[in-house]
Amino acid sequence: MDFRLTEEQELLRRSVREFAETEIRPHVMEWDETQHFPTELVPKLAGLGLMGIQYPEEYGGAGMSAVDYCICIEELARVDPGVSLSVAAHNGLCSAHIYMFGTEAQKQRYVGPLARGEMIGAWGLTEPTAGSDAAGTRTVAVRDGDSWVLNGAKTFTTHGRVGHVMVAMAVTDRSKGNKGISAFIIERGTPGMSPGKKENKLGMRASDTSEVVFENCRIPAENLLGEEGQGFVGAMQVLDAGRIGIAALAVGLAQGAWEAARHYAFERKQFGRPIGSFEAIQWKLVDNATRIEASRLLTYRAAYMKDQGQRTTLQAAMAKLYSSEIAVRAAEDCVQIHGGYGFVKDYPAEKYFRDVKLTTIGEGTSEIQRLVIARQILGR
Ligand code: CAA
């Protein structure tokens, strides 16, 4: 067992960190306040391989490992969790679903452009009445000759407005329960597909989130992704990997909040000395540093297992559950250490505090992670 990253991975961390510091840090608050999705950043992200991190070079990807992927997501989240979320959803949901279950023709048509940042990907599982109970999907797809016709709506879709291509789950045979749900690829501009309300969010505001509505949306029969009836199980497998990404995002966010708190603690003086010299502050920093390190290890273990081709349902759920919950504490302590300055927008603390809450909700709430873990370890 060797816990060290390779030299290449250390170099990768340095280059993504430098990129985030120079290309993202100066715009973080502006993008947050205006809820601006930074389309202008996409070619630069693609230039570093961040739009196709884990996809083979023959599909235009950077051919990196799942551990490398975690490093990239972590370093983006350390500076801007919203940008990191977009990169994670693009790579880990839409592109992943097509790469994992697509035909060769579908991979050629979509994975390359997605990996090169020529297309932005969206993924639709959640619906207004089907969130944690994802098998409660109401959107339907009916076969009509050489087409499928979709009707329904997806909600909380990352890139619902800015995405060029979307993978969406829809019921193809209601009598078969979760085995009657299939996945489809829908291109933006297809008649009958339209973006709905853009969400006005608490945090992660640079990442586009909106409804997507399907009204008699007709797509070619070959846009069925994977086997008919296997869309739900496929989505669960996509989420097994996706949740490792959200865990990495939480680790990076917690790291960013911790660094901001440490910096402030040794700059701010009260009672004639830096507040970081008081045990009350030191213990917060120490406890958070310890928890962040533990969450990083859980996350890298899940990623390592993915790289070995092992199933990671349990490890991904554990990594996401723990990392997101400790990140909430790290962000809260960051605000607390900043005191009144943690409550205003001149310091980064309040944004980490707003952004972090998504990590205990997106790609499955903490309650769902506990349910997944219980089913894995308690045999229920
Ligand atoms: N890998 C392989 N197969 C899996 C699996 C996995 N990880 N998880 C479940 N399955 C299989 C089961 O074995 C089962 O197969 P059988 O019927 O043959 O036994 C089948 O799938 C159904 O599984 P369950 O009985 O466990 O299904 P369930 O209805 O009880 O739901 C759940 C399970 C874990 C609660 C699931 O619904 C879930 O994960 N919910 C949360 C959804 C979620 O994370 N949503 C966020 C999406 S993010 C988004 O949409 C927006 C965005 O842009 C980010």
Side-chain angles (χ1 to χ4, degrees):
M1 189 177 276
D2 185 349
F3 291 100
R4 284 171 305 179
L5 296 179
T6 63
E7 269 179 37
E8 290 76 22
Q9 287 169 330
E10 294 290 3
L11 182 63
L12 174 69
R13 186 185 290 289
R14 282 200 297 280
S15 38
V16 181
R17 182 169 293 199
E18 195 182 308
F19 171 81
E21 290 291 350
T22 52
E23 300 288 346
I24 301 176
R25 176 90 70 195
H27 308 286
V28 169
M29 284 314 288
E30 171 204 331
W31 293 343
D32 178 72
E33 293 198 346
T34 56
Q35 284 218 101
H36 170 67
F37 174 79
T39 317
E40 65 276 21
L41 189 68
V42 172
K44 295 177 186 173
L45 288 164
L48 267 187
L50 298 177
M51 296 300 280
I53 300 171
Q54 291 183 79
Y55 305 106
E57 286 166 19
E58 70 249 37
Y59 294 109
M64 293 194 238
S65 70
V67 174
D68 299 339
Y69 177 73
C70 289
I71 294 169
C72 298
I73 297 298
E74 219 182 309
E75 288 304 322
L76 294 173
R78 176 180 162 273
V79 171
D80 191 341
V83 169
S84 186
L85 179 67
S86 272
V87 171
H90 168 90
N91 277 273
L93 296 177
C94 177
S95 308
H97 207 140
I98 299 174
Y99 182 69
M100 285 164 73
F101 298 102
T103 60
E104 190 51 39
Q106 288 170 334
K107 289 193 222 179
Q108 292 293 345
R109 185 174 172 93
Y110 299 108
V111 177
L114 286 162
R116 290 190 295 272
E118 294 155 11
M119 281 183 164
I120 295 170
W123 194 72
L125 177 65
T126 306
E127 299 188 355
T129 56
S132 290
D133 181 10
T137 298
R138 302 279 272 277
T139 297
V140 290
V142 177
R143 184 71 190 248
D144 181 24
D146 282 348
S147 316
W148 288 95
V149 181
L150 273 67
N151 277 287
K154 295 291 169 182
T155 197
F156 301 139
T157 307
T158 308
H159 306 150
R161 293 185 90 82
V162 301
H164 302 92
V165 59
M166 178 174 184
V167 172
M169 272 41 78
V171 175
T172 43
D173 185 345
R174 200 168 296 285
S175 68
K176 292 186 177 158
N178 68 59
K179 299 293 186 320
I181 296 174
S182 307
F184 296 92
I185 302 173
I186 310 106
E187 293 185 23
R188 183 164 78 185
T190 306
M193 177 203 204
S194 53
K197 181 167 80 96
K198 176 180 164 84
E199 301 297 347
N200 187 4
K201 296 180 293 180
L202 170 73
M204 303 288 198
R205 289 165 61 83
S207 178
D208 172 67
T209 305
S210 78
E211 282 183 324
V212 178
V213 179
F214 300 108
E215 280 172 319
N216 293 323
C217 175
R218 186 176 289 273
I219 56 171
E222 67 260 24
N223 283 25
L224 173 72
L225 176 58
E227 284 175 42
E228 188 179 335
Q230 287 300 306
F232 178 79
V233 174
M236 292 298 109
Q237 291 172 281
V238 169
L239 283 170
D240 280 349
R243 286 169 182 161
I244 302 173
I246 301 299
L249 193 161
V251 172
L253 188 159
Q255 179 70 36
W258 186 87
E259 288 175 25
R262 185 191 57 179
H263 178 80
Y264 183 81
F266 290 98
E267 182 186 74
R268 171 76 169 169
K269 289 198 175 115
Q270 291 291 278
F271 307 104
R273 55 189 173 120
I275 60 171
S277 67
F278 293 108
E279 269 186 355
I281 303 298
Q282 285 184 357
W283 288 11
K284 284 192 203 303
L285 291 171
V286 166
D287 288 351
N288 281 307
T290 306
R291 287 190 288 256
I292 293 167
E293 210 45 50
S295 65
R296 185 174 281 120
L297 288 173
L298 266 181
T299 303
Y300 287 3
R301 180 187 65 157
Y304 173 81
M305 287 178 62
K306 177 171 184 284
D307 282 331
Q308 304 303 307
Q310 296 177 40
R311 182 169 173 172
T312 60
T313 305
L314 172 64
Q315 291 75 16
M318 283 181 165
K320 188 200 179 267
L321 171 64
Y322 185 74
S323 304
S324 60
E325 301 233 326
I326 70 98
V328 170
R329 295 175 74 181
E332 189 189 354
D333 282 347
C334 177
V335 171
Q336 192 67 21
I337 289 170
H338 280 75
Y341 292 106
F343 208 66
V344 295
K345 292 181 184 286
D346 300 338
Y347 287 82
E350 66 84 35
K351 181 171 181 294
Y352 286 122
F353 188 60
R354 287 186 287 110
D355 286 347
V356 75
K357 201 58 202 132
L358 186 275
T359 65
T360 67
I361 298 170
E363 297 198 30
T365 60
S366 289
E367 291 72 18
I368 290 299
Q369 305 314 312
R370 288 189 173 93
L371 179 150
V372 169
I373 295 165
R375 287 182 180 175
Q376 292 289 315
I377 65 175
L378 304 178
R380 283 158 197 273

